[in-house]
Amino acid sequence: MALLEIRGLCKSFAHVVANADVYLDVEAGTTHAILGENGAGKSTLIKMISGLYRPDSGEIALDGAVQHFASPRDAILAGIGVVHQHFMLIPAMTVAENIVLGTERQRDAATPRQSRLLFNRKRAAASVQELSESLGLPIDPWARVETLSVGMQQRVEIVKALYRRARVLILDEPTAVLTPQETEELFAVIRKLNQDGIPVIFISHKLDEVRAIASTVTVMRAGKTVRTAPVADATAAQLANWMVGRDVILQSRKEEVAVGDSVLEVKNLSASDDRKTEKVRGVSFSVRRGEIFGVAGIDGNGQTELVEAIVGLRKVNGGSVHLLDRDIGHMSVGERIARGIAYVPQDRQQDGLILSFSIAENLQLREVSKAPFSRRGWLTRAAARKRAQQLVEEFDVRPPVIDASAGSLSGGNQQKVILAREMSRNPELLVAVQPTRGLDVGAIEGIHRYLLQLRAEGRSILLVSLELDEILSLADRIGVMHAGEMVAVMDNQNVTRESLGLAMTGKWSEKEAIS
Amino acid sequence: MNFWLQIFANPELYAATLAMATPIALAAVGGTFSERTGVVNIAMEGIMLVGAFFGVMVAAATHSAWLGMFGGVIAGGLMALALAWPAIRLQSDQVVVGMALNVFAGGLTAFLLNTVYGYNGTPTSTPSLPIVTLPWISNIPFIGQVIGQHDVVVYLMFLFVILGHFTLFHTNLGLRMRAVGEHPEAAETVGISVVKIRYLGVMIGGMLSGLAGVYLSLGMLSSFDVNMTNGRGFIALAAMIFGKWTPFGAFGAALLFGFATALSISLQGSGVSANLIGILPYALTIIALTGLIGRSRPPAADGLPYVATK
Ligand SMILES: Nc1ncnc2c1ncn2[C@@H]1O[C@H](COP(=O)(O)OP(=O)(O)OP(=O)(O)O)[C@@H](O)[C@H]1O
Ligand SMILES: [Mg+2]
């Protein structure tokens, strides 16, 4: 009998049916992948299993016993552990505080050394350390969460779930934010948990990963579970087909575009992060018309600061930025936008959208002072709405309801709204940071097509991505960042994954580049 | 030179500092509890006023200052409920509700003062809270004169500052409260009831503000006067921010404001313009609020309504 059984779960929100008749059987000690397009209802399903949402109908059974979760507390006590798509950690608190939080009255979970009334930092730290080491997931219990890398934060989330004696571990898009190395480490952890009999539900958009780690896969489409199959039986192309309901081109094709004059010219640029440590050191490069310039590098090597300095969100320490031969280095963000820079930021919830605004409002934000969004300072609602409806359809935002709040969209669809807004402005230069992070294969195909189309129209694109495959398949030239410097600029034609990997880890020497 | 030495060497200046700091510290610690759980509390002024009035009313009716104190604290708690319900259940704008409560409290207490007691104000027979003289300590020279003899609420204030610090930073409840104020969704996912914790935080805040009001009416005096809080609730707000949302910090900031007030009193009639000195506490408030003295980071979810989707 399956350890976790989901039978006919349904859940509707104001504008959409998020889950309609979902079935899932998860066997002990296995990894069960859930695949599905953006908005297919994966996170909603997880939130019901974890007691955050209450199902409209249907049953959740653990070990054959039907569960009624009125709150996350019930789910935790029953042994459900979840690492949510957007981490549920308190940045200002320490690792130990985050992990023991709320466990003191859960008799079963609390370690015997924990008092019910008093919070003892040292004991909490000791018990967290002990557990994390016994799991083979060492973490510093005293570190503040905000100082940890994303990979470490995820580790904290996993330990947090296991501290509560989770019998099932659910990971909602755990690899979306990880580097390839971190992903490997995560897989090792998952395998170990499986050996201990703990099943893992693994949600991802990356077909290769699903094939690498899962034994069974369930595919969701439009709120329904449409297929469950052993992973070994399916090819990546088949999985993609089940998800999207049509064949997907996994490798995009580029046409030849004549490269023109340089549009963006960055010279000797230096910038510091918020803690005043210099993160960008004398970076120079240019992006030409009809070109996609890819910036590769391991997360945290200055890419974020470089981009922010270019779009005007960060003060530069030195050097210059020219757009179409004009020095824009000292212009405000607004002036830079007016001169033709479009920006797709890395953190869509923080910087890209106003979550409480509707889709229509978010779509008009950037150019609200222009037609068709306003005339002589007055909003022209009807025209703006028509434009929004058009964009929502063109970019396949789901649900295509322009009055829904941006916050109610699934992660992938939020990204589509930003892209729709930025790309529809026909910018001179599009700066896109991780534009397909968290998107499903169908959506990625669409975004890549849009980027290539912009390129074919002779526009310039600065593409920052942690996904080597994305850079390799889209970029014409690739600049590699390491420790704040652009250690190499290579032509995509004569680049290999190995040379990129070397440059990213700083083991690249110019001599090799020349030879 | 001599003149200033005389002023600053006088233990009474420091005793008065403590007395003046007490209501501010109490309300500020209360506000800290409210805001640590994520509810902005700018209604402290109004809650203090209500606490002060009902303190006197109950004391006058029962002839017991203790019962009066009790009544004032309960009234403060109820007033806080009027903030908590819309802020937590209805997800209203907390600043707007808080401001409305301040206006309401001013009107309510003035109206009740007039209808219940008429022109003459609260009865002169109203008992006041006892003055406590600490054995041993009061005999120590200077220090004894500063901390040895005070209204009972002053000592209660010390108790609550310490208790407040201990609760927030050394108990599981405190950890939960801070978690709710930083990231309510995260707290909810580990099984903490955001709603309950926020109610608790706001109520603690209201009761401590109520006690601060009682101190003004039954401690310093034994009567109530219209708008007798005179902005202290707002100074407490500043003290809370100034103290970086910690009870000890709030206490320290309250001492500073208390000192400025005490100084202005002892400088009265000394030639230094009393008006000038009188603005000192308020000037400090402005400096604190504009953040000249270091940046303090409020709880991340302070003021943000929490909407639980079900
Ligand atoms: N709180 C909510 N209110 C209204 N609609 C919601 C809410 N949460 C989810 N939805 C809607 O339910 C649908 C399913 O969303 P869900 O987040 O489960 O998708 P998902 O499969 O996790 O997608 P992604 O891969 O992009 O994360 C979407 O159409 C979404 O807009
Ligand atoms: Mg999701």
Side-chain angles (χ1 to χ4, degrees), chain A residues 1-4 26-30 61-65 67 69 74-82 108 161-170 193-194 196-201:
Chain A
M1 187 183 52
L3 182 64
L4 175 69
V26 182
E27 307 285 341
T30 64
L62 259 177
D63 262 341
Q67 307 285 328
F69 299 145
D74 297 344
I76 293 167
L77 287 176
I80 306 280
V82 188
D108 186 50
L162 297 174
Y163 190 85
R164 292 162 171 72
R165 305 257 162 96
R167 296 158 65 201
V168 181
L169 186 66
I170 304 173
L193 291 173
N194 280 169
D196 297 343
I198 298 180
V200 173
I201 297 180

Side-chain angles (χ1 to χ4, degrees), chain B:
Chain B
M1 219 38 234
N2 219 354
F3 163 75
W4 289 106
L5 192 69
Q6 228 172 40
I7 295 225
F8 286 112
N10 187 351
E12 269 175 34
L13 174 68
Y14 304 100
T17 296
L18 262 187
M20 294 298 165
T22 294
I24 291 162
L26 279 171
V29 171
T32 300
F33 269 91
S34 173
E35 301 218 345
R36 276 287 182 168
T37 63
V39 181
V40 165
N41 189 347
I42 66 159
M44 287 184 265
E45 175 82 5
I47 298 176
M48 264 167 100
L49 204 55
V50 165
F53 178 82
F54 284 96
V56 169
M57 194 165 127
V58 174
T62 60
H63 302 290
S64 158
W66 288 108
L67 284 178
M69 180 167 103
F70 195 66
V73 170
I74 296 290
L78 289 177
M79 209 33 200
L81 212 53
L83 169 67
W85 185 67
I88 299 168
R89 284 290 182 194
L90 309 182
Q91 284 112 32
S92 313
D93 187 302
Q94 299 167 5
V95 173
V96 172
V97 176
M99 210 55 226
L101 280 181
N102 284 334
V103 175
F104 169 72
L108 176 79
T109 49
F111 168 76
L112 285 179
L113 181 67
N114 234 318
T115 42
V116 179
Y117 299 111
Y119 301 126
N120 305 328
T122 50
T124 44
S125 61
T126 309
S128 59
L129 286 163
I131 306 275
V132 176
T133 308
L134 297 181
W136 305 106
I137 295 175
S138 56
N139 297 331
I140 307 172
F142 201 85
I143 293 176
Q145 285 162 283
V146 176
I147 60 168
Q149 192 176 50
H150 278 287
D151 191 281
V152 63
V153 180
V154 175
Y155 299 114
L156 283 179
M157 179 270 293
F158 278 110
L159 183 73
F160 284 125
V161 167
I162 294 166
L163 209 63
H165 171 84
F166 186 77
T167 307
L168 267 182
F169 298 105
H170 296 281
T171 67
N172 288 319
L173 177 66
L175 183 64
R176 286 169 173 236
M177 290 180 134
R178 287 184 287 131
V180 166
E182 286 287 337
H183 195 334
E185 290 82 9
E188 192 83 41
T189 54
V190 294
I192 296 171
S193 164
V194 172
V195 168
K196 273 189 208 156
I197 293 280
R198 287 201 163 170
Y199 264 107
L200 186 66
V202 178
M203 296 292 281
I204 292 177
M207 285 159 73
L208 288 179
S209 290
L211 182 60
V214 167
Y215 174 70
L216 292 179
S217 63
L218 289 179
M220 291 183 140
L221 310 158
S222 54
S223 66
F224 178 86
D225 208 349
V226 171
N227 194 27
M228 72 185 300
T229 46
N230 204 11
R232 282 184 182 85
F234 293 110
I235 299 214
L237 190 69
M240 173 191 77
I241 295 168
F242 205 36
K244 307 197 167 171
W245 288 269
T246 64
F248 285 158
F251 174 64
L255 274 186
L256 195 67
F257 295 124
F259 178 74
T261 316
L263 188 64
S264 69
I265 293 170
S266 58
L267 284 178
Q268 265 166 26
S270 66
V272 181
S273 159
N275 289 336
L276 205 63
I277 290 291
I279 45 174
L280 201 58
Y282 301 93
L284 274 174
T285 309
I286 292 168
I287 293 172
L289 282 173
T290 47
L292 255 181
I293 317 224
R295 241 181 97 81
S296 59
R297 184 169 85 162
D302 200 7
L304 302 179
Y306 172 70
V307 194
T309 343
K310 276 286 154 179

Side-chain angles (χ1 to χ4, degrees), chain A residues 11 13 51-54 70-73 76 84 87-93 97-98 100-106 114-121 144 146 160 164, chain B residues 36 165-193 196-197 297-300 306 308-310:
Chain A
K11 177 77 185 172
F13 295 107
L52 272 172
Y53 292 169
R54 215 166 306 176
S71 72
R73 193 185 163 71
I76 293 167
H84 289 277
F87 290 163
M88 294 293 182
L89 294 172
I90 298 155
M93 290 190 177
E97 285 174 326
N98 267 286
V100 305
L101 178 66
T103 58
E104 66 274 3
R105 265 179 263 157
Q106 287 155 19
Q114 201 179 340
S115 139
R116 281 197 163 202
L117 179 66
L118 302 185
F119 171 64
N120 184 326
R121 272 158 235 271
R144 255 175 208 268
E146 63 196 351
K160 186 169 125 188
R164 292 162 171 72
Chain B
R36 276 287 182 168
H165 171 84
F166 186 77
T167 307
L168 267 182
F169 298 105
H170 296 281
T171 67
N172 288 319
L173 177 66
L175 183 64
R176 286 169 173 236
M177 290 180 134
R178 287 184 287 131
V180 166
E182 286 287 337
H183 195 334
E185 290 82 9
E188 192 83 41
T189 54
V190 294
I192 296 171
S193 164
K196 273 189 208 156
I197 293 280
R297 184 169 85 162
Y306 172 70
T309 343
K310 276 286 154 179

